[in-house]
Amino acid sequence: MLADRAQGVDELVSRTFVLDVLWYIGGAALVGGAGLAVNGVIATLAGPAAVGVFNQNFAIYVIAGQVAVGGLQFSTLRGVSQQERVEHVGPVVVSALMLVVISAGVAAGGLLLLRDAIGRALDSEETAAGIAYMFPALALFPINKVMVMALNGLGRMRIVAVFQGLRPLIILVSLIGLLLRNVPAAMLSASLSSAEAIVCAGLAVILTRCIRWGPWDRQVLLHWVKSHLSFAFRGALSGIAVEVNTRVDVLILGFFRADAVVGVYSTAAVVAEAFTLAPAALRANLDPMLGACFANGDTRRISAVAERLRPVMRKLTAAAALATLLAFPAVLASFHGAIPVGSTTKILAIMLGGVSVSVLYRPFLGLLLQSGRPGAYTLLSAAVLAVNSALCFTLVPILDVYGAAVSVSAAYAAEGLLVVLTARRVGVRL
């Protein structure tokens, strides 16, 4: 039974759970390593300005993808994880895919029409041109998000980990091929389309095999369409706000500064973001359990799990932050001066201050969603985004790239505090 996942604390924090988390962290490590390698390869072969163009395109692609998916991925995860029989999963997933195909097409087309206006706002013609090359990625990314969350809800975390690591590796290989052909910086975003196409094909094959596609009642399918729309309507802005929050610093910096400056900053930002992937691994494995606990009315188990995980996360976070700051300058040095070592390391150190606070509570970001409160989760995400955006617009003109780093650090710390406070609303003490 899918909904019977509220294991005892000792069982949950050991055995299969730990192995699944390690698999996910392995995929996360690939994401972080490949992300840094992407920036390093672009900087070495094409210069920091090309890094800035690619990262601005990447930010647009992620934000547009979240607008398109509109919270349907969270509704899929919640719906799948709370089903009692695997035979009931098919209508949940198919109804979500029907909706997301429509929204993805509309969002991708709309962004293509707006590309010139975006280029003018960022004062970057190459960024505008890059949007056309990543059009397939814009259409496929939201569909892939729904399929990944369906597999997450089914407990297939090792498969999710594989695809999480596969995407950045494909991007990296595609980028190297493009850079060796000396293509313009705008064409580098075509690597995103290659990655999403391959990932989409793989996910479709695996998801088809994981779900029992028995006969469905049309009324059941219609019920899930309405359920997804209701959930997405209340929680759509949350996914958008979360992803915008991870990219808004890059876009605001691009508004005030040249592409080369954005390229230097993005190299530190991609490492700071990778630093949050370990708690994301825990969240991905905890979310189905949270859904089951709320379905069973057992929130005490969630508090017990948090009590077990918190001291471990605190120690791992401190060790990882120190190791990252020690290793980062050596990695930058291998780029042969393409990225300045001193200033980029300072940017990373500032960002890791707030990240270190956030990662202690990030595994439980799904509490509000899994308890059926997508509106409250939206408010939390919007509050964090508001802090980040307001500080960025205020501090970047004064402190340049360091202002963006301070803004991101403060936003991460604010997120951790808000998770603790809002958890109490659903009867959980973190």
Side-chain angles (χ1 to χ4, degrees):
M1 293 175 62
L2 295 177
D4 187 20
R5 293 192 183 146
Q7 306 104 313
V9 176
D10 290 332
E11 181 183 354
L12 179 65
V13 189
S14 60
R15 299 175 187 172
T16 304
F17 179 84
V18 173
L19 289 175
D20 285 347
V21 170
L22 289 176
W23 268 84
Y24 199 104
I25 289 176
L30 283 175
V31 172
L36 183 57
V38 162
N39 280 18
V41 167
I42 298 175
T44 302
L45 298 179
V51 178
V53 170
F54 178 79
N55 277 279
Q56 287 175 95
N57 274 321
F58 189 80
I60 293 167
Y61 143 81
V62 172
I63 293 171
Q66 284 296 335
V67 172
V69 77
L72 288 170
Q73 77 277 34
F74 299 130
S75 182
T76 302
L77 171 61
R78 181 171 179 264
V80 170
S81 65
Q82 293 188 354
Q83 296 310 299
E84 294 185 352
R85 298 176 62 87
V86 72
E87 291 87 354
H88 298 164
V89 170
V92 180
V93 178
V94 171
S95 55
L97 288 173
M98 289 168 53
L99 293 170
V100 82
V101 165
I102 297 171
S103 61
V106 172
L111 190 64
L112 196 62
L113 293 175
L114 292 172
R115 65 186 185 279
D116 291 334
I118 294 171
R120 287 192 295 272
L122 297 175
D123 194 22
S124 176
E125 293 181 2
E126 288 187 306
T127 298
I131 292 175
Y133 291 105
M134 64 180 182
F135 179 81
L138 294 168
L140 292 174
F141 178 72
I143 298 171
N144 290 344
K145 291 282 286 186
V146 168
M147 289 195 286
V148 164
M149 286 300 190
L151 290 169
N152 191 344
L154 288 166
R156 304 303 178 93
M157 295 314 305
R158 299 184 187 184
I159 296 175
V160 173
V162 169
F163 279 99
Q164 176 180 266
L166 183 62
R167 179 185 282 108
L169 289 179
I170 298 172
I171 292 173
L172 178 59
V173 172
S174 299
L175 275 172
I176 292 173
L178 291 169
L179 288 165
L180 291 177
R181 291 170 52 195
N182 294 316
V183 301
M187 285 188 65
L188 297 180
S189 61
S191 61
L192 303 175
S193 296
S194 300
E196 293 300 338
I198 294 172
V199 168
C200 184
L203 286 171
V205 170
I206 292 173
L207 189 60
T208 300
R209 294 179 177 179
C210 289
I211 295 177
R212 297 180 187 176
W213 305 95
W216 309 320
D217 186 289
R218 183 178 298 178
Q219 293 301 318
V220 174
L221 199 62
L222 182 60
H223 160 77
W224 278 109
V225 168
K226 293 179 179 178
S227 177
H228 287 316
L229 287 173
S230 173
F231 193 97
F233 180 77
R234 290 176 290 147
L237 291 178
S238 62
I240 297 170
V242 168
E243 292 298 339
V244 171
N245 192 51
T246 64
R247 310 292 170 188
V248 69
D249 51 333
V250 172
L251 295 179
I252 292 176
L253 191 61
F255 179 80
F256 285 108
R257 298 291 183 262
D259 290 339
V261 177
V262 177
V264 172
Y265 175 84
S266 298
T267 304
V270 74
V271 176
E273 184 181 354
F275 196 79
T276 68
L277 294 177
L282 286 171
R283 177 185 174 181
N285 284 268
L286 284 171
D287 274 352
M289 182 275 290
L290 297 180
C293 284
F294 283 117
N296 298 333
D298 186 4
T299 58
R300 289 181 298 177
R301 183 173 281 110
I302 301 174
S303 298
V305 171
E307 187 176 353
R308 283 287 300 274
L309 289 178
R310 190 166 49 247
V312 176
M313 288 296 296
R314 188 179 295 115
K315 294 175 183 177
L316 289 177
T317 298
L322 180 59
T324 300
L325 290 173
L326 290 175
F328 191 59
V331 174
L332 292 181
S334 68
F335 298 155
H336 306 292
I339 299 292
V341 176
S343 58
T344 312
T345 303
K346 291 177 183 177
I347 293 168
L348 178 60
I350 294 170
M351 295 176 77
L352 286 183
V355 171
S356 297
V357 175
S358 173
V359 297
L360 299 177
Y361 305 103
R362 273 205 152 205
F364 296 93
L365 262 175
L367 278 170
L368 292 173
L369 288 173
Q370 296 305 314
S371 63
R373 293 170 173 81
Y377 183 71
T378 296
L379 292 175
L380 185 154
S381 304
V384 175
L385 175 60
V387 170
N388 197 359
S389 301
L391 288 175
C392 270
F393 272 112
T394 302
L395 296 179
V396 167
I398 302 171
L399 302 176
D400 202 57
V401 290
Y402 300 111
V406 170
S407 303
V408 170
S409 185
Y412 274 120
E415 178 191 79
L417 176 62
L418 288 173
V419 170
V420 173
L421 294 176
T422 55
R424 297 177 183 177
R425 293 186 59 186
V426 295
V428 177
R429 296 190 66 84
L430 300 178

